[in-house]
Amino acid sequence: MRTVSRGLPLLLAALAVAYPWLAPNYYLVYAGALTVMYAAMSTSWNLLGGFTGYVSLGHSAFFGLGAYGTGLLVVRLDVPWAVALLVSALLVTAFAVGVGIAAVRVRGASFVIVSLALVSMMNLIVQGWRSLTGGSTGLQVPSPFPGLHRGQTHIVFFYLFLVLLALALLSWWYVSRSRFGAGLRAIREDEDKAESLGVPTGAYKVAAFALSALFVALAGGLYALWFGSLDPIFVFSILIASYMVLMSLLGGVRHLYGPLLGALIVAPAGEYFLIALGETQIHLTATGLVLVLVVLFMPDGILARFTRRRAGPSIPDESADQRLQGVAP
């Protein structure tokens, strides 16, 4: 059993690396890159949502800021794309620290409302600052690989998003085995008790918030370089964060591979319905309906429901007292 559990991720990794060369056309490569992008973002979101239980719909703001930050550095300052990507992500992370210090003071529905307000505010600022961002007309970002045709660009960004997914998975795995992760789990189970026993709950939540934002900002920057055309209405859309939440919940927020599994289901389904139904609101309604059904009937996700034993690294179901042992100073 242990050999199978270790060999399966390696097999899946090998299939992922080979996918662009196995796909029969470039559209499927594009769909694969989009799926991997959402898998990386939902895994990143799960660094906050899965460990602390705080549901953020504000991660669309970090995606959009990462996209516009990268695009503006390339277009306005002529910064090399790789440097622009990293600088933008670090700036967004610093911004997330400031936002997190204020946002994590509230809990539950209040935190969700604060995160929604963040997205709306960033969207309005970007659309209103026409001289810098281009306003509602968007921003055109030159391709970092001008010598490649569009299909080849899809392959390159598939692998870039795959690297980002690997980094997000490794970060989640490391946090789940660290003292920091134990503190986050204690916050999820009983935040008041954790704080009373000396766990620095505020600092831990802000750190998880910022780490989660870092990977989402990187995904946004890669998206800007990949698509080349930024629309503030899309990159700051609540739908992006809703997909992160849905994918994580569907697969299982307490499992390392939960958000990945959710992305492998939701992203291709979304593309199919978009093609089948066209640019209508029906597929958005379907997304909301599925999210409600998952919350009501499968709150622990597919992996928790259909695996009696752990199918891989997960957040263990310990009591709050057990988690707090060794965490508090």
Side-chain angles (χ1 to χ4, degrees):
M1 180 64 69
R2 181 174 296 180
T3 303
V4 173
S5 64
R6 290 179 178 178
L8 185 58
L10 294 176
L11 176 61
L12 293 176
L15 289 174
V17 170
Y19 174 80
W21 311 105
L22 299 176
N25 56 62
Y26 284 125
Y27 172 74
L28 290 180
V29 176
Y30 157 80
L34 196 67
T35 300
V36 176
M37 181 188 78
Y38 273 114
M41 290 198 298
S42 57
T43 301
S44 306
W45 179 92
N46 206 34
L47 285 165
L48 175 69
F51 282 106
T52 68
Y54 278 64
V55 177
S56 169
L57 292 177
H59 275 52
S60 298
F62 304 132
F63 178 83
L65 289 173
Y68 266 91
T70 301
L72 289 171
L73 287 172
V74 171
V75 174
R76 306 298 189 197
L77 300 180
D78 201 25
V79 177
W81 70 269
V83 176
L85 177 66
L86 295 176
V87 170
S88 173
L90 291 176
L91 290 174
V92 173
T93 303
F95 174 72
V97 170
V99 171
I101 291 173
V104 300
R105 295 177 182 271
V106 295
R107 307 178 189 177
S110 298
F111 179 81
V112 177
I113 293 172
V114 169
S115 67
L116 285 171
L118 174 65
V119 178
S120 299
M121 182 175 65
M122 291 298 102
N123 189 4
L124 291 174
I125 291 174
V126 170
Q127 289 197 58
W129 202 343
R130 294 178 180 274
S131 61
L132 179 67
T133 65
S136 58
T137 59
L139 181 70
Q140 300 300 314
V141 183
S143 172
F145 309 107
L148 302 180
H149 63 69
R150 192 60 177 165
Q152 293 172 328
T153 303
H154 293 334
I155 295 177
V156 172
F157 279 95
F158 176 92
Y159 286 119
L160 289 174
F161 282 122
L162 194 62
V163 170
L164 182 62
L165 172 60
L167 292 174
L169 288 170
L170 285 172
S171 297
W172 198 100
W173 177 85
Y174 179 79
V175 169
S176 70
R177 281 153 178 74
S178 67
R179 180 175 177 175
F180 173 55
L184 294 177
R185 293 193 294 270
I187 291 171
R188 186 190 65 210
E189 294 301 323
D190 193 333
E191 184 171 344
D192 292 328
K193 186 173 185 178
E195 188 170 4
S196 69
L197 292 176
V199 177
T201 56
Y204 276 21
K205 288 185 293 182
V206 171
F209 193 76
L211 181 61
S212 179
L214 169 64
F215 290 109
V216 174
L218 286 169
L222 287 174
Y223 173 88
L225 296 167
W226 180 25
F227 272 76
S229 179
L230 295 180
D231 179 358
I233 296 178
F234 174 76
V235 297
F236 289 101
S237 170
I238 299 298
L239 183 62
I240 293 177
S242 299
Y243 273 142
M244 296 184 214
V245 177
L246 175 57
M247 292 168 184
S248 299
L249 292 177
L250 181 61
V253 294
R254 297 195 180 194
H255 200 284
L256 172 63
Y257 304 116
L260 172 58
L261 176 60
L264 291 174
I265 297 172
V266 175
E271 277 298 299
Y272 170 78
F273 286 120
L274 188 61
I275 293 174
L277 302 175
E279 294 287 344
T280 67
Q281 300 300 313
I282 298 178
H283 73 285
L284 303 181
T285 304
T287 300
L289 178 61
V290 171
L291 181 57
V292 171
L293 292 175
V294 168
V295 171
L296 290 177
F297 299 106
M298 276 198 307
D300 294 326
I302 294 174
L303 291 179
R305 188 176 183 86
F306 294 104
T307 57
R308 302 183 67 178
R309 292 177 177 270
R310 288 188 297 170
S314 62
I315 301 176
D317 292 321
E318 302 169 320
S319 67
D321 288 333
Q322 288 175 311
R323 289 196 180 97
L324 288 170
Q325 292 176 3
V327 178

